[in-house]
Amino acid sequence: MLAVSLSLAGCVVAPAPYGYYGEPVYAAPPPPQVEYAPAPPAVGWLWIGGYWTWRANRHVWIGGHWEAPRPGHRYVPHQWQRDGRGWRERPGYWDRR
């Protein structure tokens, strides 16, 4: 056990920021649903549109929402990209400019 502890002492495991996650999904995401954003809770807030995610072996719609802006950042929307014969999901995130 001590040998394992010593061998892992210098090991740092950190997830890749904002990378694709999970196994490829072999069902293409449906077209986005039409959403109508309600009035923002405060001037300058950003509407983050809804998106399809993969849960319990099916696509599930997650509705949009308002978020306060983050100075020095821009929002990169959620997306699905082809990966071989399947699709990989990448969640939306705030990117430093």
Side-chain angles (χ1 to χ4, degrees), residues 16-65:
Y18 316 118
Y20 292 95
Y21 61 90
E23 292 298 315
V25 172
Y26 294 102
Q33 292 187 6
V34 175
E35 292 186 307
Y36 298 98
V43 173
W45 279 44
L46 177 69
W47 175 254
I48 306 295
Y51 60 90
W52 291 103
T53 191
W54 187 254
R55 292 188 184 158
N57 294 319
R58 66 186 181 95
H59 288 286
V60 176
W61 181 254
I62 304 297
H65 63 279

Side-chain angles (χ1 to χ4, degrees), residues 37-50 64-70 73-77 93-95 97:
V43 173
W45 279 44
L46 177 69
W47 175 254
I48 306 295
H65 63 279
W66 288 103
E67 283 196 21
R70 297 184 186 180
H73 291 77
R74 70 179 178 90
Y75 187 76
V76 178
Y93 63 97
W94 288 95
D95 187 34
R97 291 182 190 183

